[in-house]
């Protein structure tokens, strides 16, 4: 019975995401009602629904990527997947572990116009979170992923995390992908999504 409910919850998320983001590559502002419904549905999904266990979020291999992505569904309008973060990794609904989100705008709902520059960190052990990207990253369509460094001055001087609360001014400087960060892939074994 639990598997049937898990499938229903995940299908409801996918259907709502499809309804919310259909045509998102051209229309960047979904309604707040659609986003609210989607957020509520996302909150109903747990790690067990997706067949993610604690060991799936732990890796003892030093060469394992700091972040692993499990693709559940994707099309030109949105992607639905799970990010698995190793402890201490900096990289949105949490499935396992504790995630700290630092958005430079609005936590939880990040849009192309608001909150899109953000940092997610695994705190107190490994973590997993369910994520919807709408539209998904696509270099060829002009939607690449960018990396930034937070600086205390416009000339690119970095700051320590502890200094953030003391400094009222900061700048973000685009940088190449850090050599210590890469994202690996892992097969998704949870309920299949069909739209």
């Amino acid at each position: 019975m639990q598997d049937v409910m898990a499938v229903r919850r995940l299908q409801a998320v996918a259907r709502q995401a499809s309804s919310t983001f259909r045509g998102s590559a051209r229309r960047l502002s979904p309604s707040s009602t659609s986003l609210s419904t989607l957020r509520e549905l996302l909150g109903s999904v747990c790690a067990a629904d997706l067949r993610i266990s604690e060991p799936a979020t732990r890796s003892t291999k030093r060469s394992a990527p700091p972040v692993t992505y499990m693709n559940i569904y994707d099309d030109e309008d949105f992607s639905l997947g799970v990010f698995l973060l190793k402890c201490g990794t900096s990289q949105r609904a949490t499935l396992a572990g504790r995630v700290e989100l630092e958005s430079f705008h609005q936590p939880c709902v990040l849009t192309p116009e608001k909150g899109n520059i953000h940092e997610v960190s695994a705190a107190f052990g490994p973590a997993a979170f369910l994520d919807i990207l709408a539209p998904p990253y696509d270099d060829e369509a002009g939607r690449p992923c960018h990396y930034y460094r937070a600086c205390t001055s416009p000339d690119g001087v970095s700051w320590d995390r502890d200094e953030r609360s003391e400094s009222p001014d900061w700048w973000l400087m685009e940088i190449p992908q850090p050599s210590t960060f890469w994202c690996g892939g892992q097969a998704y074994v949870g309920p299949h999504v069909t739209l």
Side-chain angles (χ1 to χ4, degrees), residues 58-74:
R58 294 194 184 276
S59 177
T60 57
K61 296 180 184 177
R62 291 180 80 70
S63 63
V67 177
T68 301
Y69 183 72
M70 296 187 331
N71 183 55
I72 297 172
Y73 176 86
D74 62 36

Side-chain angles (χ1 to χ4, degrees), residues 14-175:
R15 279 192 305 273
Q16 183 63 36
S18 180
S19 171
T20 301
F21 300 117
R22 189 63 51 212
S24 65
R26 296 169 298 283
R27 178 184 48 85
L28 297 177
S29 299
S31 77
S32 60
T33 302
S34 290
L35 286 173
S36 179
T37 301
L38 183 57
R39 189 176 325 148
E40 184 178 317
L41 290 168
L42 280 166
S44 73
V45 178
C46 64
D49 292 342
L50 304 176
R51 298 189 191 131
I52 296 174
S53 62
E54 177 83 14
T57 63
R58 294 194 184 276
S59 177
T60 57
K61 296 180 184 177
R62 291 180 80 70
S63 63
V67 177
T68 301
Y69 183 72
M70 296 187 331
N71 183 55
I72 297 172
Y73 176 86
D74 62 36
D75 63 23
E76 67 180 15
D77 293 313
F78 77 96
S79 63
L80 174 64
V82 176
F83 282 97
L84 306 168
L85 284 68
K86 287 172 61 174
C87 182
T89 299
S90 290
Q91 148 65 198
R92 262 157 274 255
T94 303
L95 296 173
R98 179 175 167 195
V99 169
E100 292 180 351
L101 173 69
E102 181 164 336
S103 169
F104 293 104
H105 297 287
Q106 171 81 27
C108 299
V109 175
L110 311 177
T111 71
E113 296 91 13
K114 189 174 184 181
N116 200 16
I117 299 174
H118 59 278
E119 178 181 78
V120 178
S121 301
F124 309 110
F129 64 92
L130 186 59
D131 191 59
I132 297 174
L133 294 172
Y137 292 125
D138 184 343
D139 288 339
E140 293 176 16
R143 295 188 307 272
C145 180
H146 296 278
Y147 300 89
Y148 297 89
R149 184 173 82 201
C151 306
T152 56
S153 67
D155 61 2
V157 177
S158 283
W159 62 8
D160 291 331
R161 284 190 168 281
D162 297 337
E163 296 174 18
R164 285 190 185 183
S165 60
E166 299 170 19
S167 178
D169 299 319
W170 47 269
W171 290 262
L172 296 177
M173 181 171 65
E174 188 172 349
I175 60 170

